[in-house]
Amino acid sequence: RLPWNGNSEQNLLQNIMSKPLTLPNQVSDESKLILVKMLAIEECDRYSWDQVFKLVLKIDDNPTGSKRFSYA
C-alpha cells in the first residue's frame, strides 16, 4: 500500500501536503522513524542518505540477542 494516493498529480500533491503519513502497526518503531524522516515534506526536515546509513549502522545487539537501533 502506498502512503498517499491521488487521481491526478495535483490531487496526489494535495494529499501529501494535507494528510499525515500513517504506517501499519506491524512496522517496527525503528522502521517508522526512518520512513517518516525520509518522506518528510520539507527537504530540510528529510534525512539524507548519510543520516539513514549512520542510523542503520548504529544497530547493536541487546541482551536478548535480537537487533535494535541505537539512537545515541
Side-chain angles (χ1 to χ4, degrees):
R1 161 171 104 55
L2 299 174
W4 297 281
N5 58 25
N7 300 327
S8 66
E9 196 172 317
Q10 174 94 16
N11 182 245
L12 175 61
L13 181 59
Q14 182 180 11
N15 289 339
I16 291 170
M17 298 298 283
S18 63
K19 295 182 180 179
L21 176 62
T22 57
L23 298 166
N25 290 335
Q26 63 265 33
V27 175
S28 71
D29 290 340
E30 293 85 2
S31 296
K32 285 179 184 178
L33 171 70
I34 291 174
L35 290 169
V36 166
K37 289 296 194 174
M38 289 179 66
L39 295 173
I41 293 170
E42 296 295 328
E43 186 175 354
C44 63
D45 296 332
R46 273 183 233 141
Y47 267 10
S48 67
W49 280 113
D50 284 341
Q51 288 171 303
V52 171
F53 289 130
K54 284 178 185 174
L55 180 61
V56 171
L57 291 175
K58 289 183 180 182
I59 297 174
D60 55 23
D61 291 316
N62 69 24
T64 65
S66 62
K67 295 291 186 182
R68 66 175 172 81
F69 280 81
S70 170
Y71 298 101

Coordinates of all heavy atoms in Angstrom, one line a residue:
R1 N 0.8 -1.2 0.0 CA 0.0 0.0 0.0 C 0.9 1.2 0.0 O 1.9 1.3 0.7 CB -0.9 -0.1 1.2 CG -1.5 1.2 1.7 CD -2.6 1.0 2.7 NE -2.3 1.3 4.1 CZ -1.8 2.5 4.5 NH1 -1.5 3.4 3.7 NH2 -1.6 2.7 5.8
L2 N 0.5 2.2 -0.8 CA 1.3 3.5 -0.8 C 0.8 4.4 0.3 O -0.3 4.4 0.7 CB 1.0 4.2 -2.2 CG 1.4 3.4 -3.4 CD1 1.0 4.1 -4.7 CD2 2.9 3.1 -3.4
P3 N 1.8 5.3 0.8 CA 1.4 6.2 1.9 C 0.3 7.2 1.5 O -0.4 7.6 2.3 CB 2.7 6.9 2.2 CG 3.8 6.3 1.3 CD 3.2 5.3 0.4
W4 N 0.3 7.6 0.2 CA -0.6 8.6 -0.3 C -1.1 8.1 -1.7 O -0.3 7.4 -2.4 CB -0.1 10.0 -0.4 CG 0.4 10.5 0.9 CD1 -0.4 11.1 1.9 CD2 1.7 10.6 1.4 NE1 0.4 11.5 2.9 CE2 1.7 11.3 2.7 CE3 2.9 10.2 0.9 CZ2 2.8 11.5 3.4 CZ3 4.1 10.5 1.7 CH2 4.0 11.1 2.9
N5 N -2.3 8.5 -2.1 CA -2.7 8.3 -3.4 C -3.4 9.5 -3.9 O -3.7 10.4 -3.2 CB -3.6 7.0 -3.5 CG -4.8 7.1 -2.6 OD1 -5.3 8.2 -2.3 ND2 -5.3 6.0 -2.2
G6 N -3.7 9.5 -5.2 CA -4.5 10.6 -5.8 C -4.9 10.2 -7.2 O -4.3 9.4 -7.9
N7 N -5.9 10.9 -7.7 CA -6.5 10.6 -9.0 C -5.7 11.4 -10.1 O -5.8 11.1 -11.3 CB -7.9 11.0 -9.1 CG -8.8 10.2 -8.2 OD1 -8.5 9.1 -7.9 ND2 -9.8 10.8 -7.6
S8 N -4.9 12.4 -9.7 CA -4.1 13.2 -10.6 C -2.8 13.6 -9.8 O -2.8 13.5 -8.6 CB -4.9 14.4 -11.1 OG -5.1 15.3 -10.0
E9 N -1.9 14.2 -10.5 CA -0.7 14.7 -9.9 C -1.0 15.8 -8.9 O -0.5 15.8 -7.8 CB 0.3 15.2 -11.0 CG 1.7 15.4 -10.5 CD 2.6 15.7 -11.6 OE1 2.5 15.1 -12.7 OE2 3.4 16.6 -11.4
Q10 N -2.0 16.7 -9.3 CA -2.4 17.7 -8.4 C -3.1 17.2 -7.1 O -2.8 17.6 -6.0 CB -3.4 18.6 -9.2 CG -4.0 19.7 -8.3 CD -3.3 21.0 -8.4 OE1 -2.5 21.2 -9.3 NE2 -3.6 21.9 -7.5
N11 N -3.9 16.2 -7.3 CA -4.6 15.6 -6.2 C -3.7 14.8 -5.2 O -3.8 14.9 -4.0 CB -5.7 14.6 -6.7 CG -6.5 14.0 -5.6 OD1 -6.5 12.8 -5.4 ND2 -7.3 14.8 -4.8
L12 N -2.7 14.2 -5.9 CA -1.7 13.5 -5.1 C -0.9 14.4 -4.2 O -0.7 14.2 -3.0 CB -0.7 12.7 -6.0 CG 0.5 12.0 -5.3 CD1 0.0 11.0 -4.3 CD2 1.4 11.3 -6.4
L13 N -0.4 15.5 -4.8 CA 0.3 16.6 -4.1 C -0.5 17.1 -3.0 O 0.0 17.3 -1.9 CB 0.8 17.7 -5.1 CG 1.6 18.8 -4.4 CD1 2.9 18.2 -3.8 CD2 2.0 19.8 -5.5
Q14 N -1.8 17.4 -3.2 CA -2.7 17.9 -2.2 C -2.8 16.9 -1.0 O -2.7 17.3 0.1 CB -4.0 18.2 -2.8 CG -5.0 18.8 -1.8 CD -6.4 19.0 -2.4 OE1 -6.7 18.6 -3.5 NE2 -7.2 19.8 -1.7
N15 N -2.9 15.7 -1.3 CA -3.0 14.6 -0.3 C -1.7 14.5 0.5 O -1.7 14.4 1.7 CB -3.3 13.3 -0.9 CG -4.8 13.2 -1.4 OD1 -5.6 14.0 -0.9 ND2 -5.0 12.3 -2.3
I16 N -0.5 14.6 -0.2 CA 0.8 14.6 0.5 C 0.9 15.7 1.5 O 1.3 15.6 2.6 CB 1.9 14.6 -0.5 CG1 1.9 13.2 -1.2 CG2 3.3 14.8 0.2 CD1 2.9 13.2 -2.4
M17 N 0.4 16.9 1.1 CA 0.6 18.1 1.9 C -0.4 18.1 3.0 O -0.1 18.8 4.1 CB 0.4 19.4 1.0 CG 1.4 19.5 -0.1 SD 3.1 19.6 0.5 CE 3.1 21.3 1.0
S18 N -1.5 17.5 2.9 CA -2.6 17.6 3.9 C -2.9 16.4 4.8 O -3.4 16.5 5.9 CB -3.9 18.0 3.2 OG -4.4 17.0 2.4
K19 N -2.4 15.2 4.4 CA -2.7 14.0 5.1 C -1.5 13.5 5.8 O -0.4 13.3 5.1 CB -3.3 12.9 4.2 CG -4.7 13.3 3.7 CD -5.3 12.2 2.8 CE -6.6 12.7 2.3 NZ -7.2 11.6 1.4
P20 N -1.5 13.2 7.1 CA -0.4 12.7 7.8 C 0.0 11.3 7.3 O -0.8 10.5 6.8 CB -0.8 12.6 9.2 CG -2.3 12.6 9.2 CD -2.7 13.3 8.0
L21 N 1.3 11.0 7.4 CA 1.8 9.7 7.0 C 1.3 8.7 8.0 O 1.5 8.9 9.2 CB 3.3 9.7 6.9 CG 4.0 8.4 6.6 CD1 3.6 7.8 5.3 CD2 5.5 8.5 6.7
T22 N 0.7 7.6 7.6 CA 0.3 6.5 8.5 C 0.9 5.2 8.1 O 1.0 5.0 6.9 CB -1.3 6.4 8.6 OG1 -1.8 6.1 7.3 CG2 -1.9 7.6 9.2
L23 N 1.4 4.5 9.0 CA 2.1 3.2 8.7 C 1.4 2.1 9.5 O 0.9 2.3 10.6 CB 3.6 3.3 9.1 CG 4.4 4.4 8.3 CD1 5.7 4.6 8.9 CD2 4.5 3.9 6.9
P24 N 1.4 0.9 9.0 CA 0.8 -0.2 9.7 C 1.4 -0.5 11.0 O 2.6 -0.3 11.2 CB 1.0 -1.4 8.7 CG 1.3 -0.8 7.4 CD 1.9 0.5 7.7
N25 N 0.6 -1.0 11.9 CA 1.2 -1.3 13.3 C 2.3 -2.3 13.3 O 3.2 -2.3 14.1 CB 0.0 -1.8 14.2 CG -0.9 -0.7 14.5 OD1 -0.6 0.5 14.5 ND2 -2.1 -1.1 14.8
Q26 N 2.3 -3.2 12.3 CA 3.3 -4.3 12.2 C 4.7 -3.7 11.8 O 5.7 -4.4 11.9 CB 2.9 -5.5 11.4 CG 2.7 -5.2 9.9 CD 1.3 -4.9 9.6 OE1 0.5 -4.3 10.4 NE2 0.8 -5.3 8.4
V27 N 4.8 -2.5 11.4 CA 6.1 -1.8 11.0 C 6.7 -1.4 12.3 O 6.1 -0.8 13.2 CB 5.8 -0.6 10.1 CG1 7.1 0.1 9.9 CG2 5.2 -1.0 8.8
S28 N 8.0 -1.8 12.5 CA 8.7 -1.5 13.8 C 8.9 0.0 14.0 O 8.8 0.8 13.0 CB 10.1 -2.2 13.7 OG 10.9 -1.5 12.8
D29 N 9.0 0.4 15.2 CA 9.3 1.8 15.5 C 10.5 2.3 14.8 O 10.5 3.5 14.4 CB 9.4 2.0 17.0 CG 8.1 1.8 17.8 OD1 7.0 1.9 17.1 OD2 8.1 1.6 19.0
E30 N 11.5 1.5 14.7 CA 12.8 1.9 14.1 C 12.5 2.2 12.6 O 13.0 3.2 12.0 CB 13.9 0.9 14.2 CG 14.3 0.7 15.7 CD 13.5 -0.3 16.5 OE1 12.5 -0.8 15.9 OE2 13.8 -0.4 17.7
S31 N 11.8 1.3 11.9 CA 11.5 1.5 10.5 C 10.6 2.7 10.3 O 10.7 3.4 9.3 CB 10.8 0.2 10.0 OG 11.6 -0.9 10.0
K32 N 9.6 2.9 11.2 CA 8.8 4.1 11.1 C 9.6 5.3 11.2 O 9.3 6.3 10.4 CB 7.7 4.0 12.2 CG 6.6 3.0 12.0 CD 5.6 3.1 13.1 CE 4.5 2.0 12.9 NZ 3.6 1.9 14.0
L33 N 10.5 5.4 12.1 CA 11.4 6.6 12.2 C 12.1 6.9 10.9 O 12.1 8.0 10.4 CB 12.4 6.4 13.3 CG 13.5 7.5 13.4 CD1 12.9 8.8 13.9 CD2 14.6 7.0 14.3
I34 N 12.7 5.9 10.3 CA 13.4 6.1 9.1 C 12.5 6.5 8.0 O 12.7 7.5 7.3 CB 14.2 4.8 8.7 CG1 15.3 4.5 9.7 CG2 14.7 4.9 7.3 CD1 16.1 3.2 9.4
L35 N 11.3 5.8 7.8 CA 10.4 6.2 6.8 C 9.8 7.6 6.9 O 9.8 8.4 6.0 CB 9.3 5.2 6.7 CG 9.6 3.8 6.3 CD1 8.5 2.8 6.5 CD2 10.0 3.8 4.8
V36 N 9.4 7.9 8.2 CA 8.9 9.3 8.4 C 10.0 10.3 8.1 O 9.7 11.4 7.4 CB 8.4 9.4 9.9 CG1 8.2 10.9 10.2 CG2 7.2 8.6 10.1
K37 N 11.2 10.1 8.5 CA 12.3 11.1 8.2 C 12.6 11.1 6.7 O 12.9 12.2 6.2 CB 13.5 10.8 9.0 CG 13.3 11.0 10.5 CD 13.1 12.5 10.7 CE 13.3 12.9 12.2 NZ 13.2 14.3 12.3
M38 N 12.5 10.0 6.0 CA 12.9 10.0 4.6 C 11.7 10.6 3.8 O 12.0 11.1 2.7 CB 13.2 8.6 4.1 CG 14.5 8.1 4.7 SD 14.8 6.4 4.1 CE 15.0 6.6 2.4
L39 N 10.5 10.6 4.3 CA 9.4 11.0 3.5 C 8.9 12.4 4.0 O 7.8 12.8 3.6 CB 8.2 10.0 3.5 CG 8.5 8.7 2.9 CD1 7.4 7.7 3.1 CD2 8.7 8.9 1.4
A40 N 9.6 13.1 4.8 CA 9.2 14.4 5.3 C 9.0 15.3 4.1 O 9.7 15.3 3.1 CB 10.3 15.0 6.2
I41 N 7.9 16.1 4.2 CA 7.6 17.0 3.1 C 8.6 18.1 2.8 O 9.1 18.3 1.7 CB 6.2 17.7 3.4 CG1 5.1 16.6 3.3 CG2 5.9 18.8 2.3 CD1 3.8 17.1 3.9
E42 N 9.1 18.7 3.9 CA 10.1 19.8 3.7 C 11.5 19.1 3.6 O 11.9 18.3 4.4 CB 10.1 20.7 4.9 CG 8.8 21.5 5.1 CD 8.6 22.5 3.9 OE1 9.5 23.0 3.4 OE2 7.4 22.7 3.6
E43 N 12.2 19.5 2.5 CA 13.5 18.9 2.3 C 14.5 19.1 3.4 O 15.2 18.2 3.8 CB 14.1 19.5 1.0 CG 15.4 18.9 0.6 CD 15.9 19.4 -0.7 OE1 15.3 20.1 -1.4 OE2 17.1 19.0 -1.1
C44 N 14.4 20.2 4.1 CA 15.3 20.5 5.2 C 15.0 19.6 6.4 O 15.9 19.4 7.3 CB 15.3 21.9 5.7 SG 13.6 22.5 6.3
D45 N 13.8 18.9 6.5 CA 13.4 18.0 7.5 C 13.7 16.6 7.2 O 13.7 15.7 8.1 CB 11.9 18.1 7.9 CG 11.6 19.5 8.4 OD1 12.4 20.2 9.0 OD2 10.4 19.9 8.2
R46 N 14.1 16.3 5.9 CA 14.3 14.9 5.5 C 15.7 14.4 5.9 O 16.6 15.2 5.9 CB 14.2 14.8 4.0 CG 12.9 14.6 3.5 CD 12.8 14.5 2.0 NE 11.9 15.4 1.5 CZ 12.0 16.1 0.4 NH1 13.1 16.0 -0.4 NH2 11.1 17.0 0.0
Y47 N 15.8 13.1 6.2 CA 17.1 12.5 6.4 C 17.8 12.4 5.1 O 17.2 12.1 4.1 CB 16.9 11.1 6.9 CG 16.9 10.9 8.4 CD1 16.8 12.0 9.3 CD2 16.9 9.6 9.0 CE1 16.9 11.8 10.7 CE2 16.9 9.5 10.3 CZ 16.9 10.6 11.2 OH 16.9 10.4 12.5
S48 N 19.1 12.7 5.1 CA 19.9 12.5 4.0 C 20.3 11.0 3.9 O 20.1 10.3 4.9 CB 21.2 13.4 4.1 OG 22.0 12.9 5.1
W49 N 20.9 10.6 2.8 CA 21.4 9.2 2.8 C 22.4 8.9 3.9 O 22.4 7.9 4.5 CB 22.0 8.8 1.4 CG 20.9 8.5 0.4 CD1 20.6 9.3 -0.7 CD2 20.0 7.4 0.4 NE1 19.6 8.7 -1.4 CE2 19.2 7.5 -0.7 CE3 19.8 6.3 1.2 CZ2 18.2 6.6 -1.0 CZ3 18.8 5.4 0.9 CH2 18.0 5.6 -0.2
D50 N 23.3 9.9 4.1 CA 24.3 9.8 5.2 C 23.6 9.6 6.5 O 24.0 8.7 7.3 CB 25.2 11.0 5.2 CG 26.2 11.0 4.1 OD1 26.5 10.0 3.5 OD2 26.7 12.1 3.9
Q51 N 22.6 10.3 6.8 CA 21.9 10.2 8.1 C 21.2 8.8 8.2 O 21.2 8.2 9.3 CB 20.8 11.3 8.3 CG 21.4 12.6 8.5 CD 20.4 13.7 8.5 OE1 19.7 13.9 7.5 NE2 20.3 14.5 9.6
V52 N 20.6 8.3 7.1 CA 20.0 7.0 7.1 C 21.0 5.9 7.4 O 20.9 5.1 8.3 CB 19.3 6.7 5.8 CG1 18.8 5.3 5.7 CG2 18.1 7.7 5.6
F53 N 22.1 6.0 6.7 CA 23.2 5.0 6.8 C 23.8 5.0 8.2 O 24.1 4.0 8.8 CB 24.3 5.1 5.8 CG 23.8 4.7 4.4 CD1 24.0 5.5 3.3 CD2 23.2 3.5 4.2 CE1 23.6 5.1 2.1 CE2 22.7 3.1 3.0 CZ 22.9 3.9 1.9
K54 N 24.0 6.2 8.8 CA 24.5 6.3 10.1 C 23.6 5.7 11.2 O 24.0 5.0 12.1 CB 24.8 7.8 10.5 CG 26.0 8.3 9.8 CD 26.2 9.8 10.2 CE 27.4 10.3 9.4 NZ 27.6 11.8 9.6
L55 N 22.3 5.9 11.0 CA 21.3 5.3 11.9 C 21.3 3.8 11.8 O 21.4 3.1 12.8 CB 19.9 5.8 11.6 CG 18.8 5.3 12.5 CD1 19.0 5.6 14.0 CD2 17.5 5.8 12.1
V56 N 21.3 3.3 10.6 CA 21.3 1.8 10.4 C 22.6 1.2 10.9 O 22.6 0.1 11.5 CB 21.1 1.5 8.9 CG1 21.3 0.0 8.6 CG2 19.7 1.9 8.4
L57 N 23.7 1.9 10.7 CA 25.0 1.3 11.2 C 25.1 1.3 12.7 O 25.9 0.6 13.3 CB 26.1 2.1 10.6 CG 26.3 1.9 9.1 CD1 27.4 2.8 8.6 CD2 26.7 0.5 8.8
K58 N 24.2 2.0 13.4 CA 24.2 2.0 14.9 C 23.4 0.9 15.5 O 23.1 0.9 16.7 CB 23.7 3.4 15.4 CG 24.6 4.5 15.1 CD 24.1 5.8 15.7 CE 25.1 6.9 15.4 NZ 24.7 8.2 16.0
I59 N 23.0 -0.1 14.7 CA 22.3 -1.2 15.2 C 23.3 -2.0 16.0 O 24.4 -2.3 15.6 CB 21.8 -2.1 14.0 CG1 20.7 -1.4 13.2 CG2 21.2 -3.4 14.6 CD1 20.3 -2.1 12.0
D60 N 22.9 -2.4 17.2 CA 23.7 -3.3 18.0 C 22.9 -4.4 18.7 O 21.7 -4.3 18.7 CB 24.5 -2.5 19.0 CG 23.7 -1.6 19.9 OD1 22.5 -1.9 20.1 OD2 24.2 -0.6 20.5
D61 N 23.5 -5.3 19.3 CA 22.8 -6.4 20.0 C 22.4 -6.0 21.3 O 23.1 -5.3 22.1 CB 23.8 -7.6 20.2 CG 24.1 -8.3 18.8 OD1 23.2 -8.4 18.0 OD2 25.3 -8.6 18.6
N62 N 21.1 -6.4 21.7 CA 20.6 -6.1 23.0 C 20.7 -7.4 23.8 O 21.1 -8.5 23.2 CB 19.2 -5.6 23.0 CG 18.2 -6.6 22.5 OD1 18.4 -7.8 22.6 ND2 17.1 -6.1 22.0
P63 N 20.5 -7.4 25.1 CA 20.7 -8.6 25.9 C 19.9 -9.9 25.5 O 20.3 -11.0 25.7 CB 20.2 -8.2 27.3 CG 20.4 -6.7 27.3 CD 20.1 -6.3 25.9
T64 N 18.8 -9.7 24.8 CA 18.0 -10.8 24.3 C 18.6 -11.4 23.1 O 18.1 -12.5 22.6 CB 16.5 -10.4 24.1 OG1 16.5 -9.5 23.0 CG2 15.9 -9.8 25.3
G65 N 19.5 -10.8 22.5 CA 20.1 -11.3 21.2 C 19.5 -10.8 20.0 O 20.0 -11.0 18.9
S66 N 18.3 -10.1 20.1 CA 17.7 -9.6 18.9 C 18.3 -8.2 18.6 O 19.0 -7.6 19.4 CB 16.2 -9.4 19.1 OG 15.9 -8.6 20.2
K67 N 18.1 -7.8 17.4 CA 18.7 -6.5 16.9 C 17.8 -5.3 17.3 O 16.6 -5.5 17.4 CB 18.8 -6.5 15.4 CG 19.8 -7.5 14.9 CD 21.2 -7.1 15.3 CE 22.2 -8.1 14.7 NZ 23.6 -7.8 15.1
R68 N 18.4 -4.2 17.6 CA 17.6 -3.0 17.9 C 18.4 -1.8 17.4 O 19.6 -1.9 17.1 CB 17.3 -2.8 19.4 CG 18.6 -2.6 20.2 CD 18.2 -2.3 21.7 NE 19.3 -2.3 22.5 CZ 20.1 -1.3 22.7 NH1 19.9 -0.1 22.0 NH2 21.2 -1.3 23.4
F69 N 17.8 -0.7 17.2 CA 18.5 0.5 16.8 C 19.0 1.3 18.0 O 18.4 1.3 19.0 CB 17.6 1.5 16.0 CG 17.3 1.1 14.6 CD1 16.4 0.1 14.3 CD2 18.0 1.7 13.6 CE1 16.2 -0.3 13.0 CE2 17.8 1.4 12.3 CZ 16.9 0.4 12.0
S70 N 20.2 1.9 17.9 CA 20.7 2.7 18.9 C 20.6 4.2 18.4 O 21.1 4.5 17.3 CB 22.2 2.4 19.2 OG 22.8 3.4 20.0
Y71 N 19.9 5.0 19.2 CA 19.7 6.4 18.8 C 20.7 7.3 19.3 O 20.6 8.5 19.2 CB 18.3 6.8 19.2 CG 17.2 6.0 18.6 CD1 16.5 5.0 19.2 CD2 16.8 6.2 17.2 CE1 15.5 4.3 18.6 CE2 15.9 5.5 16.6 CZ 15.2 4.5 17.3 OH 14.3 3.8 16.7
A72 N 21.7 6.8 19.9 CA 22.8 7.6 20.6 C 23.6 8.3 19.5 O 23.7 7.8 18.4 CB 23.6 6.8 21.5

